[in-house]
């Protein structure tokens, strides 16, 4: 791993290699969550991570079943209930950098690194302006330019330890029901709405329940107190991070999910 080769490290200002620092620190995790990291080494700006082979635990490609989803939600809530480490203990990912990672401006960093996803992000946001309602376009354009209103709204919710990239490709589940998580490069201290928004937006095609149902199940499992605000900010975080992908889907003849996000973002905007 090196900031000279990894555009996400550059975009999240990860000069010291966050993932290596987390592995070296042996971050305290709840019983139901595991990392396969065993150790690290560095040479200049390059870092190496030695990991246990968890191939047998990784989720298969394609859709997951309801019991697997429910186990992931339960373990996610367990992770978010972990006592918070000190804010200065590790080089956490900044919340602003995480939320703006996939905006048009940041996509230019990915483009400079030759990352194939850059073109999809740029084209997707252009299509968002064609397929999304005008109020959603104006809202997301404003937050892309300046996420401060969303950051202030999130400040009203309690922070938690977040993995930062809970896509199903980063998740394993063993026979004891423990969650094995790889790719801790964007770990941060922030409200769970950030993690849940990304989880819904990145995994929507592979989960067997409706997005509303997953939000409800998480909120119940995590005992969310301010449910209305949490759900609203979950939607805003998810749309800001992944609206471009939903617009690409709409362009390909699948507009329903983009409509779901935009309808709920319209209601959620009152929390900003």
């Amino acid at each position: 791993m090196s900031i000279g080769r990894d555009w996400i490290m550059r975009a999240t200002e990860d000069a010291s290699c966050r993932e290596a620092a987390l592995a070296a620190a042996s971050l305290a995790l709840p019983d139901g969550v595991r990392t396969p990291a065993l150790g690290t080494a560095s040479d200049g700006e390059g870092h190496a991570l030695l990991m246990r082979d968890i191939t047998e635990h990784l989720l298969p490609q394609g859709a997951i079943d309801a019991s697997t989803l429910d186990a992931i939600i339960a373990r996610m809530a367990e992770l978010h209930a972990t006592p918070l480490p000190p804010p200065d203990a590790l080089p956490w990912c900044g919340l602003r950098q995480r939320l703006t990672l996939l905006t048009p401006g940041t996509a230019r960093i990915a483009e400079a690194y030759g990352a194939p996803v850059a073109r999809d992000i740029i084209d997707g946001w252009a299509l968002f302006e064609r397929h999304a309602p005008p109020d959603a376009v104006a809202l997301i354009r404003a937050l892309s330019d300046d996420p401060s209103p969303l950051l202030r709204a999130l400040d009203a919710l309690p922070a938690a330890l977040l993995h930062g990239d809970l896509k199903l490709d980063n998740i394993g589940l063993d026979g004891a029901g423990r969650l094995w998580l790889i790719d801790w490069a964007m770990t941060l201290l922030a409200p769970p709405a950030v993690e849940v928004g990304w989880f819904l937006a990145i995994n929507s095609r592979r989960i067997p329940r409706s997005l509303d149902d997953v939000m409800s199940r998480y909120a119940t499992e995590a005992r969310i107190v301010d449910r209305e605000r949490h759900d609203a900010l979950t939607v805003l975080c998810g749309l800001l991070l992944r609206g471009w992908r939903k617009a690409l889907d709409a362009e390909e003849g699948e507009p329903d999910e983009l409509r779901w996000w935009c309808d709920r973002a319209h209601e959620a905007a009152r929390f900003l």
Side-chain angles (χ1 to χ4, degrees):
M1 300 170 285
S2 166
I3 197 169
R5 297 191 299 268
D6 188 329
W7 75 270
I8 292 179
M9 289 180 68
R10 177 71 66 187
T12 60
E13 302 175 11
D14 186 13
S16 61
C17 191
R18 187 174 301 115
E19 188 161 14
L22 287 166
S26 298
L27 187 64
L29 296 172
D31 291 341
V33 180
R34 293 286 185 271
T35 170
L38 296 172
T40 67
S42 62
D43 182 9
E45 71 167 22
H47 302 264
L49 182 65
L50 178 66
M51 297 194 298
R52 187 189 312 274
D53 183 357
I54 61 165
T55 304
E56 63 178 317
H57 302 319
L58 293 177
L59 300 180
Q61 291 299 305
I64 61 173
D65 60 34
S67 62
T68 297
L69 175 61
D70 291 346
I72 293 170
I73 292 171
R75 299 289 82 76
M76 188 192 315
E78 189 177 344
L79 174 65
H80 297 163
T82 304
L84 278 180
D88 58 352
L90 289 162
W92 310 108
C93 183
L95 180 54
R96 178 183 293 267
Q97 287 77 15
R98 181 66 187 95
L99 289 174
T100 59
L101 179 66
L102 302 175
T103 56
T106 309
R108 300 299 178 187
I109 298 176
E111 190 174 44
Y113 274 64
V117 72
R119 189 74 264 157
D120 283 345
I121 297 171
I122 294 167
D123 291 347
W125 283 122
L127 289 169
F128 185 83
E129 304 215 351
R130 179 190 305 173
H131 289 284
D135 62 326
V137 171
L139 173 63
I140 296 303
R141 184 189 296 145
L143 291 176
S144 294
D145 292 340
D146 180 13
S148 297
L150 181 53
L151 295 173
R152 287 194 295 269
L154 286 164
D155 277 344
L157 294 176
L161 173 65
L162 310 185
H163 173 269
D165 192 7
L166 282 184
K167 58 184 178 184
L168 296 181
D169 288 344
N170 288 339
I171 295 175
L173 196 64
D174 67 19
R178 292 172 300 197
L179 209 63
W180 289 83
L181 301 177
I182 61 174
D183 200 354
W184 295 74
M186 293 186 287
T187 301
L188 69 163
L189 305 180
V194 179
E195 187 115 278
V196 180
W198 174 249
F199 180 83
L200 292 175
I202 190 71
N203 299 316
S204 59
R205 285 175 170 265
R206 296 176 60 187
I207 57 180
R209 302 189 189 279
S210 71
L211 300 183
D212 287 305
D213 188 24
V214 175
M215 277 204 298
S216 178
R217 285 171 182 269
Y218 172 82
T220 299
E221 190 74 42
R223 300 180 181 178
I224 296 296
V225 175
D226 192 348
R227 169 73 184 274
E228 191 175 13
R229 185 181 301 272
H230 165 83
D231 284 357
L233 299 185
T234 291
V235 168
L236 293 177
C237 289
L239 189 59
L240 178 60
L241 283 163
R242 196 77 174 164
W244 59 274
R245 179 65 256 180
K246 309 312 172 186
L248 287 171
D249 293 340
E251 179 72 6
E252 294 169 2
E254 300 180 40
D256 291 351
E257 193 182 335
L258 177 62
R259 188 177 303 117
W260 183 93
W261 287 97
C262 291
D263 288 349
R264 283 152 184 77
H266 176 77
E267 298 297 323
R270 64 192 176 91
F271 287 94
L272 297 178

